[in-house]
């Protein structure tokens, strides 16, 4: 879907829409196409922390078609006390 702008001489020309932003967001969330992702901090044991507890930020994905949630990609973590 493109946006229309009034061009020179009164001619309408189509301005291309950059759809790569939506594609990059999907890749970041590691969600299926059309699903939405959002970040959640979790308190869990983390291998990179030597198996100790730490904080892990993971994206969870929501599927509007099924109404269900599933884990997406891990964004970051930190070792230490959970918050």
């Amino acid at each position: 879907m493109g946006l229309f702008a009034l061009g020179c001489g009164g001619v309408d020309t189509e301005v291309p829409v950059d759809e790569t932003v939506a594609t990059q967001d999907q890749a970041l969330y590691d969600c299926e196409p059309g699903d939405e992702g959002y970040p959640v901090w979790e308190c869990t044991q983390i291998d990179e922390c030597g198996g100790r507890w730490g904080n892990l930020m993971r994206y969870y994905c929501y599927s509007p078609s099924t109404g269900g949630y599933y884990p997406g990609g891990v964004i970051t973590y930190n070792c230490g006390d959970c918050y």
Side-chain angles (χ1 to χ4, degrees):
M1 177 183 220
L3 300 175
F4 290 94
L6 187 60
C8 295
V11 177
D12 288 341
T13 58
E14 187 172 352
V15 178
V17 175
D18 187 1
E19 295 182 9
T20 59
V21 173
T23 304
Q24 289 170 349
D25 286 346
Q26 289 301 139
L28 174 68
Y29 298 146
D30 201 18
C31 298
E32 294 296 319
D35 293 353
E36 302 169 10
Y38 59 93
V40 174
W41 280 104
E42 299 177 339
C43 178
T44 187
Q45 289 182 305
I46 302 174
D47 291 341
E48 291 83 0
C49 298
R52 296 184 324 249
W53 289 87
N55 299 291
L56 177 79
M57 181 187 278
R58 174 189 301 277
Y59 274 102
Y60 276 88
C61 303
Y62 171 73
S63 173
S65 62
T66 66
Y69 294 87
Y70 59 93
V74 172
I75 301 305
T76 190
Y77 68 90
N78 59 37
C79 303
D81 294 335
C82 291
Y83 53 85

